[in-house]
Amino acid sequence: MLYRLTFALNDEEIVTTEITSDKEDLVGATEEAFDWIERNYGANVALNLVAFSLLKIELTNEKKN
């Protein structure tokens, strides 16, 4: 599944990226998103996020091809 991950490091820096996950449920995908943030930005950032959003992106057959 494809997810759009958006999170704020502070009131000036907002990160938006797309991540893939084998998890189709938002709980499992959220765990993977936090793991991704921790790997790329460090554990301290993952613990102190100002804002966090995870959106599941549904791909139609047209976009898959």
Side-chain angles (χ1 to χ4, degrees):
M1 297 304 305
L2 184 63
Y3 293 90
R4 179 163 295 126
L5 170 62
T6 302
F7 57 97
L9 302 172
N10 53 49
D11 61 347
E12 296 178 0
E13 189 174 359
I14 297 173
V15 177
T16 299
T17 189
E18 290 180 351
I19 64 170
T20 56
S21 172
D22 293 334
K23 313 288 184 185
E24 291 194 27
D25 63 296
L26 282 176
V27 173
T30 298
E31 290 174 357
E32 288 192 9
F34 271 92
D35 289 343
W36 185 92
I37 294 168
E38 186 175 347
R39 279 192 311 277
N40 290 281
Y41 289 89
N44 194 41
V45 170
L47 292 172
N48 296 303
L49 291 178
V50 174
F52 174 87
S53 172
L54 188 64
L55 175 67
K56 185 176 183 179
I57 299 174
E58 298 285 342
L59 296 177
T60 63
N61 286 336
E62 287 179 15
K63 290 184 182 179
K64 289 181 182 177
N65 295 330

